[in-house]
Amino acid sequence: MEKSNEKSIIFRQEGNEFYKKREFLSALLKYNQSLCYAEKNSENLAHAYANRSAVYFEMKLYEKCLSNINYAISNNYPQENLEILNKRSEKCKDQVNKIYENYFKLSHQANKRIPFIASSLQLNHDTKYGKHVITNKNLSVGDVIAIEKPFCCVPIIESRFVKIPELNNYQRCNNCLRDNQLDLTPCSFCCQVMFCSTDCQNHAMRFYHKYECPIISELLKSGSINMALRIFFIGLSIFDNDIEKFKKCVNENRNASKTIFDYNFSSVENEDYLKNYFLSLICLSRSTKKFSLTPYENILSTHPLLQAVFNENREFILDFIQRQCQISDHNFHGIFSSSLSASDTLSDMRNLQMSIGSGSLPFASLINHSCSPNVMRICEDGKVVFIVCRPIQKGSQIFDCYKDNFLMESKESRQLKLFNEFAFKCECEACEKNWPTFKALTMKDAKLMKIAKKLNEEMQIIINNRNQTSKKVQICKEILQKNFENYPSMELCIIQKIFAALCLKLAECKVLF
Ligand SMILES: C[S@@+](CC[C@H](N)C(=O)[O-])C[C@H]1O[C@@H](n2cnc3c(N)ncnc32)[C@H](O)[C@@H]1O
């Protein structure tokens, strides 16, 4: 699909109709489509940005309104209409929103070589669990022990607030998956990809979109871009697009058992950072499934930039992709966020997190499963945050939950699913002691049950306030920490659920109106 001013104008006009009806998100979506189709240096880019600024003004998102006015001006917005934009800009300047920073920060000193994890975390290995992570310090409920940014992630189709195939690509950043309240800029070449910032755009262009752009329609046929192929493109780019260098390094490391603990990530996000992350990714454990490589062969053997490279290195490239599929099969992680919904045009405090894509995360991939985990994973701004949800004693292993928690499903059903997907028999505390599911749990402390009920009722009211939410998190943390011996009682499990829901709220609350 080629850029087309004609189409760009039609989409903008459709956006204007939604704007008139005050259906702001639908209007933004149409303006995004208009931006994607606008031809390079055409006035249509400026018009779509200007119209988007009007929507953000009505939505009271004043920073976004101002930045869209600036985009319109820098894309040659016609002089004769500038006055309207200038007036809108003046009105915005008195009403700037307070934008909150990310809420979650590491609770302990960071590891010197791996600054995104706590220094108490160590890698261990044994025959039962394979590689796993332990802590050499006691950890308390609420402690944030790691905040990992994916090596790369790909959006999934369910993540869009409007699930119409023609509109799927205008709702999230193709690099970090943020919706950024639809404040996205188009790829300058194709009509199907948008980014939330210049950083994301430059990163994508440099490391993979240059290879995805010419075949984007084909890649998006199934709705989502393939992770294994994207990792191949990034790997090749890290090695200066030189297949021989790439091949040498991959072959040298193919049987290594290295992890992020073998590398240094202390320098800012430079090339070595990405290279080290890549090397720890390709050494992760793999499933034994055999994936069909025909779709990859079809794409690469006709790729406008990589056809010759592929034909000369067919066996190596297909083997690399097979291994990446197998690694992804065991180590994919859902990336979650709330999704925009037509009803929350004015609120930034969104409630539910849903899966918006998959990410490859070399640290998270070292954490084993338990049906009664001691950490929970939530996402904030595309990063995966690990929060302690039950006290962890010095020397103990960190456990996350891959599938269903014991509260949701019976032991038999959990174990069957885990065995089918990951080929291990779960021997966690909940499985060993056959803990009851939520419905069958008993109450152990009537006073705490009262507190749990009250907290639960308060959860029904939308608290668009970080301080209040944060105070409630504190209450939950203290109860869960102090009463851990009673776990799993009905009241503690309710409080644990509230604690998780409040943490999600804190991760989503970004704008104060
Ligand atoms: C994401 S990896 C975790 C790291 C892994 N232990 C390793 O050595 O690379 C997932 C794999 O770890 C193993 N695993 C995870 N949880 C486990 C558990 N509770 N008991 C035994 N093996 C487990 C399974 O082989 C699973 O496919």
Side-chain angles (χ1 to χ4, degrees):
M1 259 174 275
E2 305 250 313
K3 300 266 182 196
S4 148
N5 279 337
E6 213 176 307
K7 284 187 183 163
S8 175
I9 293 169
I10 294 172
F11 295 136
R12 191 171 76 241
Q13 286 164 346
E14 288 174 2
N16 294 347
E17 290 309 309
F18 283 118
Y19 175 73
K20 280 187 215 151
K21 290 189 271 176
R22 299 184 69 79
E23 291 181 29
F24 295 136
L25 291 179
S26 303
L28 287 173
L29 200 48
K30 281 289 165 188
Y31 294 143
N32 281 357
Q33 205 177 4
S34 171
L35 283 172
C36 280
Y37 277 88
E39 289 169 30
K40 208 172 171 189
N41 302 328
S42 80
E43 252 182 26
N44 292 309
L45 279 168
H47 284 299
Y49 282 126
N51 290 10
R52 226 169 51 171
S53 77
V55 179
Y56 287 126
F57 186 81
E58 292 299 324
M59 289 173 81
K60 301 188 170 47
L61 291 168
Y62 301 111
E63 269 85 2
K64 293 206 180 304
C65 175
L66 283 172
S67 62
N68 276 271
I69 290 174
N70 290 338
Y71 286 143
I73 295 171
S74 59
N75 280 286
N76 308 319
Y77 192 70
Q79 285 291 329
E80 60 272 25
N81 298 345
L82 262 184
E83 209 189 317
I84 307 172
L85 287 196
N86 288 337
K87 273 192 188 153
R88 190 176 296 148
S89 169
E90 280 310 308
K91 282 193 210 160
C92 276
K93 280 177 187 154
D94 312 327
Q95 314 207 44
V96 173
N97 310 114
K98 178 174 167 43
I99 307 284
Y100 287 126
E101 280 179 13
N102 282 357
Y103 182 82
F104 292 101
K105 311 257 182 296
L106 282 189
S107 308
H108 299 273
Q109 205 183 16
N111 180 312
K112 287 209 173 78
R113 289 157 54 90
I114 316 167
F116 54 91
I117 69 168
S119 61
S120 69
L121 303 184
Q122 289 182 345
L123 184 72
N124 224 354
H125 187 277
D126 65 24
T127 44
K128 181 171 168 193
Y129 287 107
K131 287 178 227 150
H132 57 271
V133 176
I134 61 164
T135 172
N136 61 26
K137 265 193 194 150
N138 288 342
L139 297 172
S140 306
V141 175
D143 285 354
V144 175
I145 56 166
I147 304 179
E148 187 175 19
K149 184 175 167 189
F151 171 75
C152 73
C153 41
V154 292
I156 56 164
I157 210 143
E158 289 75 22
S159 67
R160 284 80 168 187
F161 97 94
V162 171
K163 288 174 203 116
I164 303 171
E166 310 84 80
L167 297 175
N168 279 337
N169 306 319
Y170 312 113
Q171 309 185 40
R172 285 202 182 279
C173 173
N174 191 256
N175 185 54
C176 74
L177 311 186
R178 292 193 321 143
D179 63 52
N180 203 22
Q181 274 146 331
L182 300 181
D183 189 10
L184 306 166
T185 45
C187 164
S188 317
F189 306 100
C190 70
C191 307
Q192 281 123 305
V193 162
M194 300 193 87
F195 301 101
C196 71
S197 63
T198 335
D199 278 356
C200 275
Q201 183 154 14
N202 291 345
H203 178 89
M205 233 32 219
R206 173 132 189 241
F207 291 104
Y208 58 86
H209 192 62
K210 63 182 172 219
Y211 292 131
E212 290 184 358
C213 194
I215 52 165
I216 195 72
S217 301
E218 206 152 340
L219 293 178
L220 289 171
K221 253 188 216 154
S222 62
S224 52
I225 288 174
N226 188 285
M227 179 78 97
L229 204 54
R230 183 168 283 185
I231 291 171
F232 169 62
F233 293 150
I234 298 178
L236 189 57
S237 307
I238 289 173
F239 293 94
D240 307 324
N241 306 299
D242 178 338
I243 189 74
E244 291 308 323
K245 273 197 208 169
F246 175 68
K247 216 157 119 179
K248 183 166 177 282
C249 188
V250 169
N251 284 338
E252 276 168 9
N253 286 282
R254 60 181 292 129
N255 295 319
S257 179
K258 297 212 170 139
T259 71
I260 61 152
F261 287 91
D262 294 299
Y263 296 102
N264 194 331
F265 299 90
S266 58
S267 55
V268 269
E269 302 202 12
N270 58 16
E271 226 96 310
D272 270 356
Y273 185 103
L274 209 60
K275 194 184 277 181
N276 291 344
Y277 221 35
F278 174 77
L279 291 174
S280 26
L281 174 74
I282 62 171
C283 293
L284 290 175
S285 63
R286 295 184 279 142
S287 78
T288 49
K289 262 188 227 165
K290 284 274 174 236
F291 290 80
S292 161
L293 296 175
T294 319
Y296 301 96
E297 277 194 275
N298 292 343
I299 284 180
L300 290 171
S301 60
T302 53
H303 192 290
L305 303 174
L306 292 174
Q307 189 174 16
V309 170
F310 178 69
N311 289 335
E312 280 161 31
N313 300 276
R314 177 181 291 263
E315 206 180 316
F316 165 78
I317 293 174
L318 290 180
D319 176 63
F320 179 84
I321 288 174
Q322 180 68 260
R323 288 169 73 97
Q324 283 318 304
C325 291
Q326 292 170 333
I327 287 174
S328 303
D329 197 36
H330 265 192
N331 298 288
F332 249 24
H333 292 85
I335 305 293
F336 295 84
S337 174
S338 64
S339 210
L340 293 167
S341 73
S343 62
D344 66 9
T345 45
L346 288 180
S347 166
D348 194 66
M349 189 73 165
R350 306 188 215 142
N351 274 321
L352 287 173
Q353 282 210 337
M354 58 188 288
S355 177
I356 58 167
S358 313
S360 26
L361 297 141
F363 168 73
S365 298
L366 298 173
I367 313 270
N368 282 323
H369 163 88
S370 165
C371 307
S372 51
N374 49 22
V375 295
M376 61 181 191
R377 245 189 299 141
I378 67 162
C379 292
E380 183 175 35
D381 250 351
K383 292 186 183 146
V384 178
V385 182
F386 289 83
I387 307 172
V388 174
C389 60
R390 293 175 62 201
I392 311 177
Q393 295 289 303
K394 175 179 171 179
S396 307
Q397 186 175 170
I398 308 295
F399 285 110
D400 174 22
C401 184
Y402 293 180
K403 296 214 72 94
D404 301 303
N405 188 294
F406 75 94
L407 295 166
M408 319 294 292
E409 290 251 6
S410 71
K411 173 179 162 181
E412 292 67 32
S413 141
R414 297 192 312 262
Q415 293 209 335
L416 186 68
K417 283 192 198 168
L418 286 166
F419 192 79
N420 287 342
E421 200 166 326
F422 299 99
F424 71 89
K425 180 172 183 294
C426 186
E427 291 175 15
C428 72
E429 200 179 356
C431 286
E432 293 286 278
K433 296 182 183 161
N434 204 4
W435 281 354
T437 57
F438 186 74
K439 280 187 194 147
L441 276 176
T442 52
M443 180 185 80
K444 290 189 184 157
D445 184 331
K447 224 167 107 194
L448 272 190
M449 189 64 181
K450 247 182 156 176
I451 299 178
K453 278 192 178 151
K454 187 162 174 271
L455 283 168
N456 199 33
E457 276 160 23
E458 287 165 357
M459 279 297 290
Q460 309 310 318
I461 312 161
I462 294 173
I463 320 162
N464 200 359
N465 180 315
R466 251 195 188 193
N467 288 342
Q468 281 180 34
T469 313
S470 190
K471 274 185 199 153
K472 293 216 170 354
V473 163
Q474 197 57 32
I475 297 172
C476 294
K477 273 188 333 196
E478 281 165 20
I479 298 175
L480 292 168
Q481 180 71 25
K482 252 199 224 153
N483 298 278
F484 73 96
E485 279 168 354
N486 280 349
Y487 196 84
S489 66
M490 170 76 100
E491 64 280 7
L492 285 179
C493 290
I494 294 177
I495 293 173
Q496 203 180 39
K497 263 180 131 178
I498 295 172
F499 171 62
L502 290 170
C503 287
L504 289 178
K505 273 184 179 266
L506 287 170
E508 293 296 341
C509 176
K510 290 281 176 273
V511 184
L512 184 68
F513 290 97

